[in-house]
Amino acid sequence: MLAKKIHTSGLVDFEDEKLDLHSAIELLRAMQPEILGKVEGLDSFDKYVLDYFFDGIALQQPKIVEASAQ
């Protein structure tokens, strides 16, 4: 429901096929103040879940797999 509320607000287009998980997370992190301020209908539980998400999410760099020498 939170994703639907964010999508409906027009801040993030979650239906964009070019938007992958990593870019969506990066975009959400960058837009945190706008999300909390502009998304209508967020109740205290929604804000708690969003705060928990933003506090706990960490972007990881893709692992580079080294070719084994044979």
Side-chain angles (χ1 to χ4, degrees):
M1 285 305 296
L2 284 171
K4 186 179 272 188
K5 289 178 182 180
I6 294 168
H7 179 82
T8 302
S9 75
L11 292 174
V12 180
D13 181 5
F14 287 113
E15 294 179 358
D16 182 357
E17 292 181 12
K18 297 176 204 159
L19 188 68
D20 65 6
L21 179 61
H22 294 287
S23 59
I25 290 171
E26 189 173 331
L27 182 59
L28 289 170
R29 289 181 72 199
M31 298 183 75
Q32 181 179 357
E34 287 92 346
I35 291 169
L36 293 173
K38 294 182 181 178
V39 176
E40 294 183 23
L42 293 179
D43 59 23
S44 59
F45 183 73
D46 291 333
K47 291 177 182 177
Y48 170 79
V49 171
L50 281 170
D51 286 340
Y52 189 82
F53 169 78
F54 288 124
D55 286 344
I57 198 71
L59 290 177
Q60 296 180 354
Q61 298 297 323
K63 294 181 182 180
I64 299 174
V65 178
E66 295 180 24
S68 59
Q70 293 183 2

